[in-house]
Amino acid sequence: MAVYHKEFDVVIIGAGHAGIEAALAAAKLGCEVLVLTINLDRIGAMSCNPAIGGLAKGHLVKEIDALGGEMAKAIDQTGIQFRKLNTRKGPAVRATRAQADRWRYQDYMKKRLENAPRVTVKQATVDRILVKDRRVYGVETSIGEIFHTKAVVVTTGTFLKGLIHIGFKNFPAGRMGDPPSNKLSDCLKELGFEIGRLKTGTCPRLDGRTIDYSKLEVQWGDVPPPLFSYENQGKRPPLPQVPCYITYTNEKTHEIIRAAVDRSPLFTGIIKGVGARYCPSIEDKVFRFADRARHQIFLEPEGLDTVEVYPNGISTSLPIDVQWAMVRSIKGLEHAEILRPGYAIEYDYVNPIQLKHSLETKEIAGLFLAGQINGTSGYEEAAAQGLVAGINAAHYVQQKEPFTLDRSQAYIGVLIDDLVTKGTNEPYRMFTSRAEYRLLLREDNADLRLTELGYKIGLVSEERYGLFLQKKKTIEKVLQELKKIKLRPDEINPLLLRLGSAPIKQSQSLFDLLKRPEIPLEEIKKVFSFLDRLPDDILQQIEIETKYAGYVTRQQQEIERFRRWESMLLPEDLNYWEIPGLSTEIREKLTRVKPRSLGQALRISGVTPAAIAAIQIYLKKRGWRPVRQEN
């Protein structure tokens, strides 16, 4: 054994999307951080599709940025197509998505991590987490190096006992080209963690020179490109913007897949892990949606300096000869060459029900888990967890209170609360439908919701905080001005009639008139020049705040009720087996989850309002007084 000469405050295991955010956050907060990764050349690698954001995922990226994280800045610098999704729907479900130059994104993150103050990066495979008296004190690598530390953040992605499947061929790997981490999974099991098995997959990569684009539907990004970071609003991306293309599977494709079902590791039981229900492989889609005549495929360029194309929509683990036939049955891909085969990968994960909202494990002090090890899928979900885990690892070392977000504050809060309250037995993916208060948790207002918190933590700079305060003040001032401006019928009725809106009979405020869905702010700007001088992001806030004022008020009232329940914090050592009136099933669930509040207890599947009442009665008899926990 060789003990390294320096002790670190925080050790991060893994340098994917979660590990990078965790390391940068902890270092920014003053900790000496060591990042250990199996392959230094794959820091920040996009193992699956070359894209960031999308429905609900874009919300997470904006929240990461508002709190002071890195992902939004990285994609803004390396994006080659930006689009706003769901633009015809309400503001709650609009989201940004960007295609990345995969290699430039990876290079950006590698440079950012390696050059960050107080961050040391080393190539190593961690075999053991060293624990004494249920508290972390170090890690041991496969070659016998020991690094002492006060806190450890595990962000291993798909590497824990990773097993790749291509047809009946399978081999150990964390991803294609990288070895798995086997002993660390055993170590976690020995420490008492419940380990499960999940599966995910990726598409074959195609040679773009062999694709007939003339047969395909072209899809360009938006003009101007909608960037992610609030620091980049109004700017243009530095890289050239390129199109994607759309094609579809067909009946011949489906026949090829159905004929190969006896050679599929997914359908023959070779793959034991549970796959993502919301992102199924193409063979899964063909059988689950047998009535569908075709499935859409997005041909996404992997970068500006490569011929590789990612056919998003045909993730598969079928044998390579079937992949050849399947790909060449698709319009525009009749002569396409596969550069890298698609594959499925099985890997171990830790049931996240064993975590606190800070992402620290309940049983081992100073040990934090983030990313796919917690049962999630997606770069964005991983990065969001990494940021929270990195903040809390630093707070743990510095003996500060944990930083947590609740369901009314952020999608990050929804994500983590879902994981630690309900656990998961399939890869968890974020959706807008998971957020009860999604009208208030929009992409466009993530900075207004979270920048203050990021500044208080220490991740948001003084300069950025000053700009945020200026924006917030401007929005408040304009809204007040709109309420003050009263318009007589003769002043506004001609415009109302032209827009097909009912005329007014007495004076009304401009704010009330703007509430009408048929009156766009764009028309009001033509009349009131002070609005014309405002930036687009502020105008967007003004329009949403006016048009959805009634809905926002109702949702704020719902949040107040939610927070009353969340404020009722439960004793950490509460013995549910002593509480009369609870069923055995409910006692078992409460004991396992150890909810921090009555609100969280209510969200545990099977815990009834009657059970909550029984807990309240029991505690009140013992002098319990709930106290609100603040961030």
Side-chain angles (χ1 to χ4, degrees), residues 157-177:
T158 60
F159 277 68
L160 291 184
K161 293 196 173 178
L163 185 67
I164 282 179
H165 296 268
I166 304 174
F168 290 162
K169 302 287 185 182
N170 56 65
F171 51 91
R175 63 175 157 238
M176 188 67 82

Side-chain angles (χ1 to χ4, degrees), residues 548-559:
Y548 293 88
Y551 299 104
V552 166
T553 299
R554 283 199 290 275
Q555 201 145 96
Q556 285 170 337
Q557 292 168 349
E558 292 170 10
I559 285 174

Side-chain angles (χ1 to χ4, degrees), residues 293-314:
R294 64 180 192 172
H295 296 280
Q296 193 172 59
I297 303 167
F298 290 93
L299 298 176
E300 303 172 346
E302 297 255 325
L304 299 175
D305 304 321
T306 178
V307 299
E308 283 192 69
V309 171
Y310 187 90
N312 194 341
I314 53 170

